[in-house]
Amino acid sequence: YIEIQNHSMIYHTINGDYACTGSLKKTEQELAGLPFARCSSSFLIHLLHIVTVHGDKVIMDNQDELLISRLKKQEFMETLTNYYGVGK
């Protein structure tokens, strides 16, 4: 997943975390069509790496827990449902 924190973007990958400057909105546009979704203003998540959604949290396969914002929850859950409904 990709996280924005203090104007820095952090790419959390299976090989480690990488920081750079950039815009999460611009990155989201560049990744359009790929299985990524926003769960809040801070996180852009690769849907394949979600283990479960529990209440207002997304549990990732690396055990990180990411909060789902109330404003993004409906759209995020629809995107996630469509992704698993169609297949990987």
Side-chain angles (χ1 to χ4, degrees):
Y1 64 94
I2 305 166
E3 176 181 13
I4 193 80
Q5 193 177 82
N6 299 325
H7 303 290
S8 292
M9 287 192 349
I10 303 167
Y11 288 79
H12 298 272
T13 74
I14 58 174
N15 296 320
D17 298 342
Y18 304 92
C20 66
T21 58
S23 160
L24 198 57
K25 185 174 182 174
K26 183 177 178 185
T27 302
E28 182 179 22
Q29 292 169 347
E30 292 170 351
L31 296 173
L34 296 174
F36 283 87
R38 292 279 288 266
C39 69
S40 72
S41 60
S42 300
F43 299 110
L44 181 61
I45 300 176
H46 193 297
L47 302 176
L48 180 63
H49 295 281
I50 294 174
V51 173
T52 190
V53 175
H54 185 71
D56 63 349
K57 293 181 182 176
V58 177
I59 311 301
M60 304 300 293
D61 55 7
N62 66 354
Q63 303 307 308
D64 285 356
E65 295 184 8
L66 312 178
L67 289 176
I68 304 171
S69 73
R70 286 184 297 158
L71 295 174
K72 297 280 186 187
K73 187 168 187 170
Q74 182 176 348
E75 181 181 352
F76 175 75
M77 293 305 293
E78 287 174 6
T79 301
L80 184 61
T81 300
N82 290 337
Y83 174 71
Y84 280 105
V86 171
K88 298 177 190 175

